[in-house]
Amino acid sequence: MNKISIKFKLRILFILLLLAISTIGYKSISISQDNKDRLEVVHSKSQTLLGLQDKIITPLYNLRELSQALVMAPNQKIRESILDNLTTAINELDDAFLEYSKENKIVYEMWLHYKSLIKVTKGYLNSEFEEGAYVNITTVGRAQFQLLVKELLVIQSDLLSKSSIAYSEAVKDVANIKIEIFVSLFVILLFSIIIGSLISNNIISSIYRVQNGLREFFEYINHKREKANRIELVSNDEFSDMANMINENVETIQNNIEKDEALIKNATRVLLSIKSGNLGDRLDGHTHNMALGELKEMINDMIENLEEKIQQEINKRLENEQILLQQSKLASMGEMIGNIAHQWRQPLAQIIAIFMNMKVTYDFDKFTPIYLNQKIEEADKLTQYMSQTIDDFQNFFNPHSVKEVFCVERACRDALFIVESSLKHNHIKVEFEVLDELKILGHKNEYSQVVLNIINNAKNILLEKKIKEPLIKIEIKEGDNFAIVKIWDNGGGIPDEFLDKVFEPYFTTRHKTQGTGIGLYMSKNIIEKNMQGYLNVKNIGDGACFTI
């Protein structure tokens, strides 16, 4: 069995399967033919029995009733109608008895005799000898009818008995054939199982050995085994050829893996040296793995100029950060000057009005020391307000390096105060809703600067798109783990293709002369890097919603 090829083993199993199917088919056809023959016999006898009942016995009883009705008819008209039916019944029975006479002549002769007695009865009636007709039909005619019916019933009983016997024999034969089929099937299946088990066990044993060898190899690859054993098969079939090929490949792979592992360990050592600041080590050793070879060359090349590139990147990053910070300061300064101008516009107008009022009073000679002191006090209050505005702006833009616990609402209102005059001047409505009183730990001024940047962006987009009823809504509420501030506007939202870019440095949808594109970038750095929070944006309804 071990020296037979797998193809030949499978052919044996296929031949056994064909033999089993052929045997079952032959037996099934044989059973079907035998059952057909037996059923034809039973059917023939049943048809004869039914024909005797339907064509002779039942019509014969009908004829007897007609003959009696003929004698008992009250008038000639009814008698003629009965006579027509009687004649028809006799003719039908003549045909039936004539056909049956081939099997039983005695019954046919008895029918002829009974028919002659009916003819005699009809003769008496034609001679108007009704008493003779009545006596004939009730004596001799009845006796002959009973003899004929008795003979027919005997024949019917005999046919029924033969039909029952044929059916019983058919049932018995079917049971015997079933036993024969079951025995044949059992023998075939037993033989097939024995041969199939020998073949399948041989194949499964080879498959198991190959599977076990491959499992050991994969365990070796996954560092769960130190070495993969060879696959040993005693058979000389295709599995044996496959096992030899696998053994050769496994040995080659094991050798390559050992070389690769040595190179990887060396690379790890070199990388640890680089991490510690030592750039003097280099990778050596050979490998058949193209990717590892490329990695070795890449690491060696990287070490050659890594220090210089690192320093260049550091200098470039610091330079960019300084530029960003300077641009952010300049942008904030510009915003601050614009907002101060809005804050001072009304007090300056009031001071000018005071001076004009003083001139008019002087021209009308109503200028008095009391009046002068009153106007000086009014102008002093306005200049104090303007001075306080400068102090408020300085405090707002003054950075604090130390974290503090501050009120979120206060920080938002401080930011809103800076641009409140500008918003009112441009007829932009602000809705401020505080759902929860919240305090957080962080840099208050930087937090307010973020809120200010978002409000300024909303203001600019509302003015740029000339929204008819511009609105900015600020909502403060408590989340599961964070204090949440949402700032909406109805400026039409941000185009979908720009949503992922709004926090990138130098990205702006406005003209370069109107925006630097660093405000939101710096805001995201403040919230996420300095205060360990989150800042994101999405479109809601007819505008954008920034969530801190």
Side-chain angles (χ1 to χ4, degrees):
M1 184 68 71
N2 291 329
K3 295 184 179 181
I4 301 175
S5 67
I6 294 177
K7 291 183 178 178
F8 189 76
K9 295 173 184 176
L10 294 176
R11 287 195 188 102
I12 293 174
L13 290 176
F14 182 70
I15 291 171
L16 288 175
L17 178 63
L18 288 179
L19 288 175
I21 294 174
S22 300
T23 304
I24 294 172
Y26 172 76
K27 287 295 182 181
S28 300
I29 293 171
S30 176
I31 290 174
S32 299
Q33 188 60 42
D34 291 342
N35 285 343
K36 179 181 176 183
D37 295 340
R38 288 175 175 80
L39 289 174
E40 286 179 353
V41 172
V42 174
H43 178 71
S44 176
K45 294 183 180 299
S46 300
Q47 288 297 109
T48 303
L49 181 64
L50 292 174
L52 182 65
Q53 179 68 36
D54 294 339
K55 294 181 179 180
I56 296 178
I57 296 177
T58 301
L60 188 62
Y61 273 101
N62 186 37
L63 179 64
R64 174 64 180 172
E65 292 176 358
L66 289 173
S67 61
Q68 290 177 342
L70 182 67
V71 175
M72 303 298 293
N75 54 56
Q76 189 62 28
K77 185 176 180 180
I78 295 175
R79 185 168 291 166
E80 289 177 357
S81 175
I82 295 172
L83 187 60
D84 292 339
N85 294 332
L86 184 67
T87 302
T88 302
I90 290 173
N91 292 334
E92 292 176 354
L93 283 170
D94 265 336
D95 295 338
F97 275 106
L98 181 61
E99 182 179 354
Y100 193 71
S101 64
K102 299 175 183 178
E103 298 181 10
N104 196 321
K105 292 183 177 180
I106 296 175
V107 172
Y108 183 67
E109 291 175 356
M110 294 175 68
W111 157 250
L112 293 177
H113 181 58
Y114 180 65
K115 186 174 71 170
S116 64
L117 292 176
I118 294 175
K119 188 175 181 182
V120 171
T121 301
K122 291 166 60 179
Y124 284 149
L125 292 173
N126 290 334
S127 303
E128 297 183 354
F129 184 39
E130 295 181 354
E131 291 83 357
Y134 177 78
V135 171
N136 184 66
I137 198 68
T138 57
T139 56
V140 181
R142 184 177 65 180
Q144 185 61 29
F145 173 78
Q146 290 176 348
L147 288 174
L148 179 58
V149 169
K150 183 178 179 182
E151 184 65 23
L152 289 172
L153 291 176
V154 170
I155 294 171
Q156 188 182 42
S157 176
D158 182 59
L159 288 174
L160 182 62
S161 176
K162 290 179 179 179
S163 178
S164 299
I165 292 171
Y167 177 76
S168 299
E169 290 177 352
V171 172
K172 187 183 297 183
D173 291 341
V174 168
N176 292 333
I177 292 173
K178 285 182 179 179
I179 294 173
E180 182 181 348
I181 289 177
F182 286 140
V183 172
S184 301
L185 286 176
F186 177 76
V187 172
I188 293 172
L189 289 175
L190 182 62
F191 180 72
S192 300
I193 290 171
I194 293 173
I195 301 299
S197 297
L198 292 175
I199 295 174
S200 61
N201 286 338
N202 182 265
I203 295 174
I204 291 172
S205 176
S206 299
I207 292 174
Y208 175 76
R209 288 177 181 271
V210 173
Q211 181 185 14
N212 190 45
L214 290 174
R215 186 178 65 252
E216 290 183 0
F217 172 65
F218 290 131
E219 289 177 352
Y220 166 73
I221 291 178
N222 293 321
H223 306 288
K224 296 181 180 179
R225 180 184 290 270
E226 294 182 357
K227 186 178 180 181
N229 297 319
R230 289 177 55 84
I231 301 174
E232 302 292 343
L233 296 181
V234 295
S235 61
N236 189 22
D237 52 16
E238 290 85 350
F239 278 112
S240 178
D241 297 337
M242 182 173 65
N244 293 331
M245 182 177 63
I246 292 174
N247 288 332
E248 293 176 2
N249 290 326
V250 166
E251 290 176 359
T252 302
I253 292 172
Q254 282 180 338
N255 293 331
N256 292 336
I257 288 176
E258 290 174 358
K259 293 180 180 179
D260 294 343
E261 287 179 345
L263 180 62
I264 291 172
K265 290 179 180 178
N266 191 19
T268 304
R269 178 184 59 78
V270 171
L271 291 174
L272 289 174
S273 298
I274 294 173
K275 184 179 179 181
S276 62
N278 181 12
L279 300 178
D281 292 340
R282 297 292 184 273
L283 280 178
D284 54 10
H286 300 283
T287 177
H288 293 281
N289 190 311
M290 185 179 296
L292 286 177
E294 293 176 355
L295 178 63
K296 182 186 79 170
E297 297 297 330
M298 183 183 68
I299 291 176
N300 287 335
D301 293 340
M302 180 187 67
I303 295 173
E304 297 293 336
N305 54 11
L306 182 60
E307 187 173 11
E308 181 180 355
K309 288 185 177 180
I310 290 175
Q311 191 60 45
Q312 289 176 356
E313 289 296 325
I314 291 174
N315 294 337
K316 185 178 178 181
R317 182 64 179 267
L318 290 174
E319 183 180 350
N320 288 337
E321 289 293 336
Q322 289 297 326
I323 293 172
L324 285 176
L325 288 173
Q326 186 64 24
Q327 289 178 342
S328 178
K329 290 178 180 178
L330 291 174
S332 298
M333 187 179 297
E335 293 285 347
M336 181 183 71
I337 293 172
N339 289 319
I340 290 174
H342 280 290
Q343 293 281 9
W344 278 11
R345 184 173 283 111
Q346 184 176 355
L348 285 173
Q350 290 177 341
I351 290 173
I352 292 171
I354 290 172
F355 289 151
M356 291 178 64
N357 187 275
M358 290 173 66
K359 183 179 182 303
V360 172
T361 304
Y362 179 78
D363 291 339
F364 283 93
D365 294 328
K366 294 182 179 180
F367 200 84
T368 64
I370 296 175
Y371 173 79
L372 177 61
N373 290 332
Q374 180 184 354
K375 293 304 176 183
I376 290 174
E377 288 178 3
E378 291 179 7
D380 183 59
K381 288 181 180 179
L382 291 172
T383 54
Q384 287 180 8
Y385 170 77
M386 295 171 68
S387 177
Q388 183 63 41
T389 300
I390 292 294
D391 293 338
D392 291 340
F393 274 80
Q394 285 179 337
N395 291 332
F396 180 83
F397 290 101
N398 183 29
H400 296 284
S401 59
V402 180
K403 290 185 178 182
E404 59 178 323
V405 177
F406 63 90
C407 176
V408 176
E409 179 187 359
R410 185 70 266 159
C412 293
R413 291 195 181 277
D414 288 348
L416 184 60
F417 167 76
I418 299 298
V419 291
E420 189 171 16
S421 296
S422 176
L423 295 175
K424 289 181 179 179
H425 176 73
N426 292 290
H427 308 289
I428 298 175
K429 182 180 178 182
V430 178
E431 294 182 0
F432 200 102
E433 184 177 6
V434 181
L435 302 179
D436 299 291
E437 295 289 341
L438 303 173
K439 290 185 179 181
I440 59 175
L441 176 65
H443 305 286
K444 176 176 177 295
N445 282 4
E446 291 184 1
Y447 192 89
S448 298
Q449 181 67 50
V450 171
V451 176
L452 177 63
N453 285 340
I454 297 173
I455 294 175
N456 272 329
N457 279 352
K459 179 195 74 173
N460 293 333
I461 200 68
L462 290 170
L463 295 177
E464 181 181 326
K465 293 189 176 181
K466 298 180 180 179
I467 303 300
K468 291 184 179 180
E469 296 181 0
L471 171 66
I472 296 175
K473 182 178 179 181
I474 303 172
E475 178 185 275
I476 302 173
K477 65 178 181 178
E478 182 178 5
D480 293 334
N481 301 304
F482 297 91
I484 298 174
V485 175
K486 291 188 176 183
I487 304 174
W488 287 274
D489 64 68
N490 60 344
I494 302 170
D496 293 339
E497 62 269 23
F498 296 152
L499 274 175
D500 295 332
K501 300 179 180 180
V502 294
F503 295 112
E504 295 179 3
Y506 302 112
F507 178 81
T508 177
T509 58
R510 306 172 67 196
H511 192 271
K512 291 183 178 180
T513 60
Q514 297 176 316
T516 62
I518 60 173
L520 290 177
Y521 169 73
M522 298 301 294
S523 297
K524 194 170 184 68
N525 280 342
I526 290 171
I527 294 298
E528 297 190 355
K529 292 184 178 180
N530 297 354
M531 301 185 69
Q532 291 74 50
Y534 297 97
L535 173 60
N536 53 53
V537 62
K538 62 181 178 180
N539 290 323
I540 297 179
D542 57 353
C545 175
F546 284 83
T547 302
I548 306 171

